[in-house]
Each structure stands twice: as structure tokens, then as C-alpha cells.
Amino acid sequence: MTAPDRIEELISATKSAFLDGSLVRLRLAGYHGSEPDLKSVDVKKITVKGGDKFSFTFHYKTRDIIKNLIQPEALGNLRIALKDEFRSAQLSTTGFDMAFERNGDKIRLKRTKVVGREAVSTDHNRAKNHPLAGGNKPYLNALGITGKDGVVRNDAQDKFRQINKMVEIFAPLIQAIKADKPRIVDMGAGKGYLDFALYDYLANVANRPAEVVGVEMRDKLVTDGNTTAAESGFDGLSFVPGTIIDYDASGADAVIALHACDTATDDAIFKGIAAGASLIAVAPCCHKQIRRQMEAGKAEDKLDVLLRHGIFMERQAEMVTDALRALLLELNGYKTKVFEFVSDAHTPKNNLIVAEKDGRAGRDRDAILKQIADTKAMYGIERHYLEGLLGL
């Protein structure tokens, strides 16, 4: 059997296990491609609203990135990865294991029978931290989620699910903070959907004392938020007027910013770093600052096919902007992950950057600085706005 035949045998086995529900995991290791700091990839099956998909978790040195792909795209990517980029793979199913090893042009494939291994759940909607069950909660009514009868309105069902999803993501991150009473600052809080739901969950479900502050520049939203917080009996929740860059975040244990436009996201990251926050989590919105530089600068010629069309330029600008943000967070002592998040009702932007402080400042500094410099040179970028805030 030739090397390509062995790759196809593993691909076929993975596809069959995906289709019949016996797939447990496929792990790719021994990476030797061009992607900086990529170590391994885990692949599993998930069931989401759009149907069954392959979920790829890319494990980098200091962060993980998750991508969910439909079957043809996933299998195509696996074929390339096994041929050129990974030296080994381990397929685990409920009925057998298959070990793949590649040494140059030679490939070894070994199949071993397995007995008694149970199937894993493919439900993407994990056991959730649901703070919201409708009912007579003043903030749900004030935010237009429920009617006077306490029942979630038909036209607010999507928003209700999104709020629950936000709390599902953020509650465990907050609970992991070591402070007895963590101070959580939400930059650009808007109406405070996250603030109310998160405070409700921490106070009334998790019994985790916390202080939540929503920073918002629109005075009416600040007044409305404080009124609703008082009516809800949420003594530890407050809203204050101001801009992100002008707010003094000293003492914050967590800094959050959801869909802060363009460099306002960088303002929030900077405030979190300056405060020494244990957690910084941002869901970026538009990426104008870097895109303007990419359009005006001179990127490497080999990127022309990716940048000549406006839609591709926009997507590349998003990825480059957020990749540089992740690197700058790592430079300042944070372990960083980037993954898909739930968008709100008004924007398709759904990437979340989560950075947890782990004391790595100073470690690998030169290597990270080189990655930043190389990325900017590749795309013709002079300077990321966050670099200026950090004095780099």
C-alpha cells in the first residue's frame, strides 16, 4: 500500500466514524509546518444548529483556536495536514484505534481493536450556567426580554439565548479569579445585558460575591442601568459615565469589552493590562485602524491574491488585528485564547479574545517581539494602535 493510500485509509476511517457516531477524537501531532507555535490539533464531532460539523482545536504554545468546519472542507484540510504538516495522528473510535506515523515518504498505519469504549456526546450546547429562567425579574422586563407576566417575549428569544450563552462563557472565567470579591469592569456596557445577567448568576446561583461596574458614555443608559439595578436589589452592580480610555480601571480583577468599535477594543485591553487584571476578555468589532495601514502599505507580493478583493482584505485585517492583540497580551504576561463567540442581534462579529494572567511576562519576549515585527512587515503595517498605548 502506498503512502497516499494510507492517508486515504485514515481519512476514510475518520469520515465513517463521523457519520456513524463512533468518532471519539482524532489528534494530529508532530507539527513541522510554517505556522508559528502550533503544537497539535484535536478534532471531534459536534452537533450545532446548522448540523453536524468537525470541530478543530488548534493548540498553540500559549493559546487555542477553535474552528468548526463542514465535512468536505474538514476532510480536505486533514488530507493536506497528514501529507505535509503532521508526523503523527491518533484516531480513536468506539470500536478501534488507528495510529498514523509518517517519516519522510514512508507512512506506517496500525489499527487496533477496542472493546467497551463509550461514545462521546456531540452536543455543542454543554451543560449550561443558566442564570435566566424568565420569571419576575425587574431587569429582564426593563431590558425588554420579558413581558409584564415574566414570560420571555417571542421577539426576544434570540437575545435571551445569547445572554445565557454569554454567562455560560464568562461565569467560569470569573469564578476562576482568586480574589474573594472580584471587581469586574465592563467597558462600553450599553444597556448592560451581560452585567445584569452575570451579576444575577454570581449572586443568586453561584453564591460568588462580586462587584460589577458598567462603563458607558451615554448618560441615559447609565441612569437607566442604575435605576434597574436598584429595583433588582443588585447592590454590587453599578453603571458609571465615561469613555473607556478615560476610565480609571485600577483595582479591576476582570476587564470585559463586547463589540467596542475599532481601537476602543485596544483601549479596553490596555486598561486591563495597566490594572494588572487577572482576566481580560474582548469581542472586537470593526478593524479600521489596521485595514487602513494594510491598504496604504506594501504587503508581501505573495499576499496579493488575499488582499486584492475588498472582502478578503476585510477578513485579513480582522485576523491580523486580533492576532497582534493576542501577541501583545502574551508579551504582557497573559495566556491567550481566541475562539468563536455569540454575536449580538446587531453584528456578525463573533470572535472572543480571552486572556488570563499567568506571570509569563518576560518569558519568550524576544520571540514574541519578532513575531509581531514579522507579521507587520508581511502585511505592510507600520504600527498597531495598542503598541502605542503600551509604549512599544
Side-chain angles (χ1 to χ4, degrees):
M1 185 181 290
T2 66
D5 288 338
R6 289 186 172 90
I7 292 176
E8 288 306 315
E9 182 177 349
L10 179 58
I11 293 289
S12 178
T14 302
K15 178 180 178 180
S16 295
F18 176 87
L19 292 174
D20 65 22
S22 65
L23 177 63
V24 175
R25 185 185 71 173
L26 173 65
R27 163 159 282 195
L28 309 181
Y31 180 75
H32 61 100
S34 60
E35 188 76 17
D37 293 334
L38 180 60
K39 298 170 64 178
S40 62
V41 178
D42 283 332
V43 183
K44 64 180 182 179
K45 178 180 178 179
I46 63 169
T47 300
V48 294
K49 189 175 182 179
D52 293 338
K53 291 186 177 181
F54 282 91
S55 180
F56 286 66
T57 300
F58 296 83
H59 299 289
Y60 290 82
K61 189 174 183 180
T62 58
R63 66 189 187 278
D64 293 342
I65 295 178
I66 299 173
K67 295 182 180 179
N68 299 327
L69 305 177
I70 60 175
Q71 184 189 136
E73 184 179 8
L75 297 179
N77 287 356
L78 285 175
R79 188 171 286 107
I80 295 172
L82 292 168
K83 178 178 180 294
D84 300 320
E85 300 173 336
F86 290 88
R87 294 189 177 93
S88 66
Q90 180 72 31
L91 173 64
S92 300
T93 76
T94 57
F96 64 89
D97 288 340
M98 187 174 284
F100 170 95
E101 293 183 6
R102 178 167 57 81
N103 185 4
D105 294 332
K106 296 181 179 180
I107 291 179
R108 180 173 177 266
L109 193 63
K110 181 180 180 181
R111 179 171 174 145
T112 306
K113 186 177 180 180
V114 173
V115 177
R117 180 182 289 162
E118 295 183 358
V120 298
S121 172
T122 61
D123 186 2
H124 190 52
N125 298 314
R126 303 176 299 276
K128 295 178 172 55
N129 298 318
H130 275 196
L132 312 180
N136 188 24
K137 296 184 178 183
Y139 77 88
L140 289 177
N141 183 250
L143 294 174
I145 302 297
T146 61
K148 294 180 180 180
D149 56 1
V151 176
V152 178
R153 295 167 44 177
N154 289 335
D155 61 355
Q157 292 290 336
D158 287 344
K159 176 60 72 176
F160 185 66
R161 285 191 292 268
Q162 290 164 0
I163 295 171
N164 275 306
K165 182 64 176 181
M166 287 192 290
V167 176
E168 178 194 350
I169 291 173
F170 283 105
L173 296 171
I174 299 300
Q175 290 177 286
I177 295 174
K178 295 180 180 179
D180 292 335
K181 187 178 181 181
R183 186 167 188 263
I184 306 156
V185 178
D186 180 12
M187 299 290 199
K191 292 183 178 181
Y193 290 106
L194 174 62
D195 307 305
F196 281 106
L198 185 59
Y199 187 88
D200 187 9
Y201 176 81
L202 293 173
N204 299 317
V205 179
N207 294 316
R208 177 74 156 100
E211 177 188 2
V212 179
V213 180
V215 180
E216 173 55 49
M217 62 187 299
R218 289 165 287 186
D219 291 336
K220 185 178 187 306
L221 294 183
V222 172
T223 300
D224 291 346
N226 283 324
T227 298
T228 303
E231 291 174 349
S232 301
F234 292 171
D235 296 337
L237 172 61
S238 63
F239 294 83
V240 297
T243 62
I244 295 174
I245 196 61
D246 291 331
Y247 180 74
D248 182 1
S250 299
D253 295 294
V255 172
I256 297 170
L258 302 184
H259 305 116
C261 189
D262 198 19
T263 56
T265 291
D266 300 303
D267 292 338
I269 293 173
F270 169 68
K271 287 294 183 175
I273 292 173
S278 298
L279 171 69
I280 300 172
V282 296
C285 188
C286 52
H287 300 71
K288 298 177 183 178
Q289 190 252 340
I290 288 298
R291 176 169 179 170
R292 284 193 292 265
Q293 292 191 42
M294 289 171 59
E295 290 173 336
K298 176 60 177 174
E300 293 184 1
D301 291 341
K302 61 184 179 182
L303 296 177
D304 181 60
V305 69
L306 298 178
L307 302 178
R308 70 172 68 172
H309 304 291
I311 185 63
F312 290 166
M313 171 68 81
E314 179 180 355
R315 291 173 181 172
Q316 287 290 305
E318 290 178 4
M319 289 189 291
V320 173
T321 301
D322 291 341
L324 289 172
R325 284 168 171 157
L327 287 170
L328 289 166
L329 280 160
E330 291 166 18
L331 189 67
N332 283 273
Y334 288 84
K335 181 179 179 180
T336 306
K337 295 182 180 181
V338 183
F339 54 90
E340 286 184 339
F341 183 51
V342 174
S343 64
D344 68 16
H346 307 292
T347 175
K349 309 301 182 182
N350 65 347
N351 288 333
L352 183 68
I353 302 173
V354 172
E356 296 176 279
K357 196 169 184 64
D358 70 349
R360 67 179 58 236
R363 289 156 42 195
D364 303 324
R365 182 176 180 82
D366 291 342
I368 295 174
L369 285 171
K370 184 177 186 303
Q371 288 181 30
I372 294 171
D374 289 347
T375 301
K376 291 193 299 181
M378 180 184 299
Y379 286 92
I381 298 167
E382 292 186 6
R383 196 180 199 190
H384 194 294
Y385 174 79
L386 183 55
E387 289 182 279
L389 294 176
L390 294 170
L392 297 176

